[in-house]
Amino acid sequence: MAVIIDGKAAARKIHEDAKRRTAVLLEKGIKPCLAVILLGKDPASVSYVSAKEKALAQAGMDGRDLRLPASTSEAELLALIASLNRDSLVHGILVQLPLPRRIREERVITAIDPAKDVDGFHPVSLGRLVLGQAGFIPCTPHGITALLRELPVPLDGAHAVVLGRSNIVGKPLAILLSRRDINATVTICHTGTKDLAAITRQADILIAAAGKPALVDAGMIKAGAVVIDVGVNRVDDPSAKKGYRLRGDVDFKAVAEKAAYITPVPGGVGPMTIAMLIRNVVEAAERAG
Ligand code: NAP
């Protein structure tokens, strides 16, 4: 039976560190501040934004809560970002994704000042990541590598298989894992991958970020592997209070029988994503101060 990786406990340590660093900044008269922009009322986005704002408050930081109607135009959103870029009291800017389809996500992300790009999605941040330069690292991949570093398993030379190639998870994660400080050998899989199971079975570390509930079953993993489940999927369940349950991309019960380490959903990668965001905000404030 696998050891269940406690993402909440790991995240707590990062929050405590951020709180300490925030206290130092407060003494200098600097209050780290994240502006959070949310368009519309998508329930998942609303709950992510609320969790981020709660974490900011707990760290002693300011959260500027900018909830706009779904009908907000791209021009209005860009004008708001421009004003936040100029605002010296705002250290980080986060636009909750996904945006309504008529708004060009790429234009919006690129409009954020890279010095305030605490999500790490700006082309400048991603370029720095590729080049190994200091910059903001996207929170979910950063959180995953932090969890992996805490495990008593060798990462150097390990074969890591990343299932998914999105700009926010799969691609940056593959880059981080292959950097010299981790030194894993990385394979990226996607919908064009032939015989997915044959590849995932070779993984010493398997990271599932496909957004498909229970895609990874026990037959797809090597005995003793580390399995990181990034997926957050709402699956209908009339017996649940909310009418749905959160499921990962991994068939947890079956895979936990075979893996050495596994993250649960919820309670694995999710808390680390928020913790890394908070760390990025304090870092942005330190750099600005
Ligand atoms: P995404 O943009 O939809 O990307 C999914 C990736 O998985 C794509 O590259 C896709 O391949 C690949 N894929 C999908 N089905 C596949 C299959 N059957 N076989 C092989 N590859 C497959 O998703 P994302 O934004 O990266 O998010 C992935 C999951 O992580 C979602 O459930 C999301 O909610 C969750 N997530 C969690 C956190 C957290 O903090 N816990 C943060 C971010 C995301 P193609 O490129 O070929 O389409």
Side-chain angles (χ1 to χ4, degrees):
M1 183 68 187
V3 172
I4 298 171
I5 300 170
D6 188 347
K8 281 190 198 161
R12 216 172 291 129
K13 286 192 231 160
I14 297 164
H15 284 295
E16 280 161 13
D17 174 62
K19 205 171 170 178
R20 270 193 299 273
R21 288 160 67 179
T22 299
V24 173
L25 286 168
L26 287 172
E27 277 178 20
K28 293 188 203 162
I30 300 164
K31 190 165 191 186
C33 173
L34 175 67
V36 181
I37 304 173
L38 171 63
L39 263 65
K41 292 188 171 136
D42 169 64
S45 295
V46 168
S47 87
Y48 290 141
V49 162
S50 304
K52 288 167 189 174
E53 284 171 348
K54 193 173 150 205
L56 287 166
Q58 280 171 351
M61 300 177 180
D62 255 348
R64 208 173 284 183
D65 186 359
L66 300 162
R67 299 193 190 209
L68 309 176
S71 58
T72 304
S73 71
E74 185 180 286
E76 285 168 321
L77 182 54
L78 292 174
L80 173 62
I81 291 171
S83 78
L84 294 169
N85 283 341
R86 288 190 299 270
D87 189 335
S88 60
L89 295 178
V90 171
H91 303 102
I93 302 169
L94 180 151
V95 180
Q96 185 63 44
L97 302 177
L99 289 167
R101 283 183 130 211
R102 63 200 160 67
I103 296 183
R104 288 165 289 182
E105 214 164 89
E106 206 182 304
R107 280 204 71 179
V108 171
I109 291 170
T110 310
I112 296 171
D113 179 348
K116 301 188 180 189
D117 175 39
V118 288
D119 251 344
F121 298 161
H122 193 286
V124 168
S125 303
L126 291 171
R128 285 180 180 149
L129 177 68
V130 172
L131 296 172
Q133 297 172 0
F136 293 115
I137 298 172
C139 305
T140 302
H142 201 189
I144 293 167
T145 56
L147 279 182
L148 289 173
R149 284 176 198 276
E150 293 226 331
L151 299 180
V153 296
L155 303 179
D156 193 328
H159 184 192
V161 173
V162 179
L163 180 44
R165 58 175 162 189
S166 71
N167 291 339
I168 62 169
V169 186
K171 274 189 222 164
L173 179 62
I175 291 162
L176 281 173
L177 291 168
S178 60
R179 283 196 338 194
R180 281 187 193 278
D181 57 340
I182 293 184
N183 226 20
T185 300
V186 181
T187 303
I188 305 178
C189 298
H190 44 75
T191 55
T193 300
K194 291 194 179 106
D195 200 353
L196 182 63
I199 295 171
T200 57
R201 273 197 296 268
Q202 294 172 36
D204 302 309
I205 300 165
L206 175 64
I207 297 131
K212 296 283 178 304
L215 172 67
V216 175
D217 62 32
M220 290 172 72
I221 69 149
K222 172 156 90 176
V226 175
V227 179
I228 306 288
D229 191 352
V230 188
V232 180
N233 308 291
R234 287 185 176 208
V235 176
D236 289 341
D237 181 350
S239 72
K241 214 160 98 189
K242 293 180 178 166
Y244 67 86
R245 281 189 196 284
L246 292 185
R247 289 269 180 266
D249 286 354
V250 175
D251 178 355
F252 182 86
K253 230 172 136 188
V255 171
E257 296 284 335
K258 205 170 168 190
Y261 294 91
I262 188 167
T263 56
V265 176
V269 173
M272 288 300 280
T273 297
I274 295 189
M276 287 309 186
L277 172 70
I278 297 299
R279 174 181 282 184
N280 279 351
V281 176
V282 82
E283 226 169 85
E286 285 169 349
R287 285 187 208 164

Coordinates of all heavy atoms in Angstrom, one line a residue, residues 178-237:
S178 N 13.3 18.3 -15.8 CA 14.5 18.0 -16.6 C 15.7 19.0 -16.3 O 16.7 18.8 -16.8 CB 14.2 18.0 -18.1 OG 13.7 19.2 -18.5
R179 N 15.4 20.0 -15.5 CA 16.5 20.9 -15.2 C 17.6 20.2 -14.3 O 17.2 19.2 -13.7 CB 16.0 22.1 -14.4 CG 15.4 23.1 -15.3 CD 15.1 24.5 -14.9 NE 15.0 24.9 -13.5 CZ 14.5 26.0 -13.1 NH1 14.0 26.9 -14.0 NH2 14.4 26.3 -11.9
R180 N 18.8 20.6 -14.4 CA 19.9 19.9 -13.7 C 19.6 19.7 -12.2 O 20.1 18.7 -11.6 CB 21.2 20.6 -13.9 CG 21.8 20.4 -15.3 CD 23.2 20.9 -15.4 NE 23.6 20.9 -16.8 CZ 24.0 19.9 -17.4 NH1 24.2 18.7 -16.8 NH2 24.4 20.0 -18.7
D181 N 18.9 20.7 -11.6 CA 18.8 20.5 -10.1 C 17.8 19.3 -9.7 O 17.9 18.9 -8.6 CB 18.3 21.8 -9.5 CG 17.0 22.4 -10.1 OD1 16.7 22.0 -11.2 OD2 16.3 23.2 -9.4
I182 N 17.0 18.9 -10.7 CA 16.2 17.7 -10.4 C 16.8 16.5 -11.3 O 17.0 15.4 -10.8 CB 14.7 17.9 -10.8 CG1 14.2 18.9 -9.7 CG2 13.9 16.6 -10.7 CD1 12.7 19.2 -9.8
N183 N 17.1 16.8 -12.5 CA 17.8 15.9 -13.4 C 17.1 14.6 -13.7 O 17.7 13.5 -13.9 CB 19.1 15.5 -12.7 CG 20.3 15.6 -13.7 OD1 20.2 16.2 -14.7 ND2 21.4 15.0 -13.3
A184 N 15.7 14.7 -13.8 CA 15.0 13.5 -14.3 C 15.0 13.4 -15.8 O 15.3 14.4 -16.5 CB 13.5 13.6 -13.8
T185 N 14.7 12.2 -16.3 CA 14.6 12.0 -17.7 C 13.1 12.1 -18.0 O 12.3 11.3 -17.3 CB 15.1 10.7 -18.2 OG1 16.5 10.7 -17.8 CG2 14.9 10.4 -19.6
V186 N 12.6 13.0 -18.8 CA 11.2 13.3 -18.9 C 10.6 12.8 -20.2 O 11.1 13.1 -21.3 CB 11.0 14.8 -18.7 CG1 9.5 15.1 -18.8 CG2 11.6 15.3 -17.4
T187 N 9.4 12.2 -20.1 CA 8.6 11.9 -21.3 C 7.3 12.6 -21.2 O 6.7 12.6 -20.1 CB 8.4 10.4 -21.4 OG1 9.6 9.7 -21.5 CG2 7.6 10.0 -22.7
I188 N 6.9 13.3 -22.2 CA 5.5 14.0 -22.2 C 4.6 13.2 -23.0 O 4.8 12.9 -24.2 CB 5.6 15.4 -22.7 CG1 6.7 16.2 -22.0 CG2 4.3 16.1 -22.6 CD1 6.9 17.6 -22.5
C189 N 3.4 12.9 -22.4 CA 2.3 12.2 -23.2 C 1.1 13.1 -23.4 O 0.9 14.0 -22.6 CB 1.9 11.0 -22.4 SG 3.2 9.8 -22.2
H190 N 0.4 12.9 -24.4 CA -0.8 13.7 -24.8 C -1.7 12.8 -25.6 O -1.5 11.6 -25.7 CB -0.4 14.9 -25.6 CG 0.7 14.6 -26.6 ND1 0.4 14.0 -27.8 CD2 2.0 14.8 -26.6 CE1 1.5 13.9 -28.5 NE2 2.5 14.4 -27.8
T191 N -2.7 13.4 -26.2 CA -3.7 12.6 -26.9 C -3.2 11.9 -28.2 O -3.8 11.0 -28.7 CB -5.0 13.4 -27.3 OG1 -4.6 14.5 -28.0 CG2 -5.8 13.8 -26.0
G192 N -2.0 12.4 -28.6 CA -1.4 11.8 -29.8 C -0.5 10.6 -29.4 O 0.1 10.0 -30.3
T193 N -0.3 10.4 -28.2 CA 0.6 9.3 -27.7 C 0.0 7.9 -28.1 O -1.2 7.7 -27.7 CB 0.8 9.4 -26.2 OG1 1.4 10.7 -25.9 CG2 1.7 8.3 -25.7
K194 N 0.8 7.1 -28.7 CA 0.4 5.8 -29.0 C 0.7 4.8 -27.8 O 1.8 4.9 -27.3 CB 1.1 5.3 -30.3 CG 0.7 6.0 -31.5 CD 1.1 5.3 -32.8 CE 0.6 6.1 -34.0 NZ 1.7 6.8 -34.7
D195 N -0.1 4.0 -27.5 CA 0.0 3.0 -26.4 C 0.5 3.7 -25.1 O 1.6 3.5 -24.6 CB 1.0 1.9 -26.8 CG 0.8 0.7 -25.9 OD1 0.0 0.8 -24.9 OD2 1.4 -0.4 -26.1
L196 N -0.4 4.6 -24.6 CA -0.1 5.4 -23.4 C 0.4 4.5 -22.2 O 1.4 4.8 -21.6 CB -1.4 6.1 -23.0 CG -1.3 7.1 -21.9 CD1 -0.3 8.2 -22.1 CD2 -2.7 7.6 -21.6
A197 N -0.3 3.4 -22.0 CA 0.0 2.5 -20.9 C 1.4 2.0 -21.0 O 2.1 1.8 -19.9 CB -1.0 1.4 -20.8
A198 N 1.9 1.7 -22.2 CA 3.3 1.1 -22.3 C 4.3 2.1 -21.9 O 5.3 1.8 -21.3 CB 3.5 0.7 -23.8
I199 N 4.0 3.4 -22.0 CA 4.9 4.5 -21.6 C 4.8 4.8 -20.1 O 5.8 4.8 -19.4 CB 4.7 5.7 -22.5 CG1 5.1 5.4 -23.9 CG2 5.5 6.9 -21.9 CD1 4.7 6.4 -24.9
T200 N 3.5 4.9 -19.7 CA 3.3 5.2 -18.2 C 3.9 4.1 -17.3 O 4.4 4.3 -16.2 CB 1.9 5.5 -17.9 OG1 1.1 4.3 -18.3 CG2 1.3 6.7 -18.6
R201 N 3.9 2.8 -17.8 CA 4.4 1.7 -17.0 C 5.9 1.8 -16.9 O 6.5 1.1 -16.0 CB 4.0 0.4 -17.7 CG 2.7 -0.2 -17.3 CD 2.5 -1.6 -17.6 NE 2.5 -1.9 -19.0 CZ 1.4 -1.9 -19.8 NH1 0.2 -1.7 -19.3 NH2 1.6 -2.2 -21.1
Q202 N 6.6 2.6 -17.7 CA 8.0 2.8 -17.5 C 8.4 3.9 -16.5 O 9.5 4.1 -16.2 CB 8.6 3.2 -18.8 CG 8.5 2.1 -19.9 CD 9.0 2.7 -21.3 OE1 9.9 3.5 -21.3 NE2 8.3 2.3 -22.3
A203 N 7.3 4.6 -16.0 CA 7.6 5.7 -15.2 C 8.0 5.4 -13.7 O 7.3 4.6 -13.1 CB 6.4 6.6 -15.1
D204 N 9.1 6.0 -13.3 CA 9.4 5.9 -11.8 C 8.5 6.9 -11.1 O 8.2 6.8 -10.0 CB 10.9 6.3 -11.6 CG 11.8 5.4 -12.3 OD1 11.7 4.1 -12.2 OD2 12.7 5.9 -13.1
I205 N 8.3 8.0 -11.9 CA 7.4 9.1 -11.3 C 6.4 9.4 -12.4 O 6.7 9.7 -13.6 CB 8.2 10.4 -11.1 CG1 9.3 10.1 -10.0 CG2 7.3 11.5 -10.6 CD1 10.4 11.2 -10.0
L206 N 5.1 9.2 -12.1 CA 4.1 9.5 -13.1 C 3.2 10.7 -12.6 O 2.7 10.7 -11.5 CB 3.2 8.3 -13.2 CG 1.9 8.5 -14.2 CD1 2.4 8.8 -15.6 CD2 1.0 7.3 -14.1
I207 N 3.1 11.7 -13.4 CA 2.3 12.9 -13.1 C 1.2 12.9 -14.0 O 1.4 13.1 -15.2 CB 3.2 14.1 -13.1 CG1 4.3 14.0 -12.0 CG2 2.3 15.4 -12.8 CD1 5.6 14.4 -12.5
A208 N 0.0 12.8 -13.5 CA -1.2 12.8 -14.4 C -1.9 14.2 -14.3 O -2.4 14.6 -13.3 CB -2.2 11.7 -13.9
A209 N -1.9 14.8 -15.5 CA -2.5 16.2 -15.6 C -3.3 16.2 -16.9 O -3.0 17.0 -17.8 CB -1.5 17.3 -15.5
A210 N -4.3 15.3 -17.0 CA -5.0 15.2 -18.3 C -6.4 15.8 -18.1 O -7.1 16.1 -19.1 CB -5.1 13.8 -18.7
G211 N -6.9 15.9 -16.9 CA -8.3 16.4 -16.7 C -9.3 15.3 -17.1 O -10.4 15.6 -17.5
K212 N -9.0 14.0 -16.9 CA -9.9 12.9 -17.2 C -10.0 12.0 -16.0 O -9.0 11.4 -15.6 CB -9.4 12.1 -18.4 CG -9.3 12.9 -19.7 CD -10.6 13.0 -20.4 CE -10.7 13.8 -21.6 NZ -10.1 15.1 -21.6
P213 N -11.2 12.0 -15.4 CA -11.3 11.2 -14.2 C -10.9 9.7 -14.3 O -11.4 9.1 -15.3 CB -12.8 11.3 -13.8 CG -13.5 11.9 -15.0 CD -12.5 12.6 -15.8
A214 N -10.1 9.3 -13.4 CA -9.7 7.9 -13.3 C -9.1 7.3 -14.6 O -9.2 6.2 -14.9 CB -10.8 7.0 -12.8
L215 N -8.4 8.2 -15.4 CA -7.8 7.8 -16.6 C -6.7 6.8 -16.3 O -6.5 5.8 -17.1 CB -7.2 9.0 -17.3 CG -6.3 8.8 -18.6 CD1 -7.1 8.2 -19.7 CD2 -5.7 10.1 -19.1
V216 N -5.9 7.0 -15.2 CA -4.8 6.1 -14.9 C -5.3 5.0 -14.0 O -5.7 5.3 -12.9 CB -3.7 6.9 -14.2 CG1 -2.5 6.0 -13.8 CG2 -3.2 8.0 -15.2
D217 N -5.2 3.8 -14.5 CA -5.6 2.6 -13.7 C -4.3 1.9 -13.2 O -3.2 2.2 -13.6 CB -6.6 1.8 -14.4 CG -6.1 1.1 -15.6 OD1 -4.8 0.9 -15.7 OD2 -6.9 0.9 -16.6
A218 N -4.5 0.9 -12.4 CA -3.4 0.1 -11.8 C -2.5 -0.5 -12.9 O -1.3 -0.7 -12.7 CB -3.9 -0.9 -10.8
G219 N -3.1 -0.9 -14.0 CA -2.4 -1.6 -15.1 C -1.5 -0.6 -15.8 O -0.6 -1.0 -16.6
M220 N -1.6 0.7 -15.5 CA -0.8 1.7 -16.3 C 0.5 2.1 -15.5 O 1.2 3.0 -15.9 CB -1.6 2.9 -16.6 CG -2.7 2.6 -17.6 SD -3.8 4.0 -17.8 CE -2.7 5.2 -18.7
I221 N 0.6 1.5 -14.3 CA 1.8 2.0 -13.5 C 2.7 0.9 -13.1 O 2.3 -0.3 -13.1 CB 1.4 2.8 -12.2 CG1 0.7 1.8 -11.2 CG2 0.5 3.9 -12.5 CD1 1.0 2.3 -9.8
K222 N 4.0 1.3 -12.9 CA 5.0 0.3 -12.5 C 4.9 0.1 -10.9 O 4.6 1.1 -10.2 CB 6.3 0.9 -12.8 CG 7.6 0.2 -12.3 CD 8.8 0.5 -13.2 CE 9.6 1.7 -12.8 NZ 10.8 1.9 -13.5
A223 N 5.0 -1.1 -10.4 CA 5.0 -1.3 -9.0 C 6.1 -0.4 -8.3 O 7.2 -0.4 -8.8 CB 5.2 -2.8 -8.7
G224 N 5.7 0.3 -7.3 CA 6.7 1.1 -6.6 C 6.9 2.5 -7.1 O 7.8 3.3 -6.7
A225 N 6.1 2.9 -8.1 CA 6.2 4.2 -8.7 C 5.7 5.3 -7.7 O 4.9 5.0 -6.8 CB 5.4 4.3 -10.0
V226 N 6.1 6.6 -8.0 CA 5.5 7.7 -7.3 C 4.4 8.3 -8.3 O 4.7 8.5 -9.5 CB 6.6 8.8 -7.1 CG1 6.0 10.1 -6.5 CG2 7.7 8.3 -6.2
V227 N 3.2 8.4 -7.8 CA 2.1 8.9 -8.6 C 1.6 10.2 -8.1 O 1.1 10.3 -6.9 CB 1.0 7.8 -8.7 CG1 -0.2 8.3 -9.6 CG2 1.6 6.5 -9.2
I228 N 1.7 11.2 -8.9 CA 1.2 12.5 -8.6 C -0.1 12.8 -9.4 O 0.0 12.8 -10.6 CB 2.2 13.6 -8.8 CG1 3.6 13.3 -8.1 CG2 1.7 15.0 -8.4 CD1 3.6 13.4 -6.6
D229 N -1.2 13.1 -8.7 CA -2.5 13.2 -9.4 C -2.8 14.7 -9.4 O -3.2 15.3 -8.3 CB -3.5 12.4 -8.7 CG -4.8 12.3 -9.5 OD1 -5.0 13.0 -10.5 OD2 -5.7 11.5 -9.0
V230 N -2.8 15.4 -10.5 CA -3.1 16.8 -10.6 C -4.5 17.0 -10.9 O -5.1 18.1 -10.6 CB -2.2 17.5 -11.7 CG1 -2.3 19.0 -11.7 CG2 -0.7 17.1 -11.6
G231 N -5.2 16.1 -11.5 CA -6.5 16.2 -12.0 C -7.5 16.6 -10.9 O -7.5 16.2 -9.8
V232 N -8.4 17.6 -11.3 CA -9.5 18.0 -10.4 C -10.8 17.9 -11.3 O -11.0 18.8 -12.1 CB -9.4 19.4 -9.8 CG1 -10.5 19.7 -8.9 CG2 -8.1 19.5 -9.0
N233 N -11.5 16.8 -11.2 CA -12.7 16.6 -12.0 C -13.9 16.5 -11.2 O -13.9 15.8 -10.2 CB -12.5 15.3 -12.8 CG -11.1 15.3 -13.6 OD1 -10.9 16.0 -14.5 ND2 -10.2 14.4 -13.1
R234 N -14.9 17.3 -11.6 CA -16.2 17.2 -10.9 C -17.0 16.0 -11.5 O -17.4 16.1 -12.7 CB -17.0 18.5 -11.0 CG -16.4 19.6 -10.2 CD -17.2 20.8 -10.2 NE -16.6 21.8 -9.3 CZ -17.3 22.8 -8.7 NH1 -18.6 22.9 -8.9 NH2 -16.7 23.6 -7.9
V235 N -17.3 15.0 -10.7 CA -18.0 13.9 -11.2 C -19.4 13.9 -10.5 O -19.5 13.9 -9.3 CB -17.3 12.6 -10.9 CG1 -18.0 11.4 -11.3 CG2 -15.9 12.6 -11.6
D236 N -20.5 13.8 -11.3 CA -21.8 13.8 -10.7 C -22.0 12.7 -9.7 O -21.6 11.5 -9.9 CB -22.9 13.6 -11.8 CG -23.0 14.8 -12.7 OD1 -22.5 15.9 -12.2 OD2 -23.5 14.7 -13.8
D237 N -22.6 13.0 -8.5 CA -22.8 12.0 -7.5 C -24.0 12.5 -6.7 O -23.9 13.4 -5.8 CB -21.6 11.8 -6.6 CG -21.8 10.8 -5.5 OD1 -23.0 10.3 -5.4 OD2 -20.9 10.4 -4.9

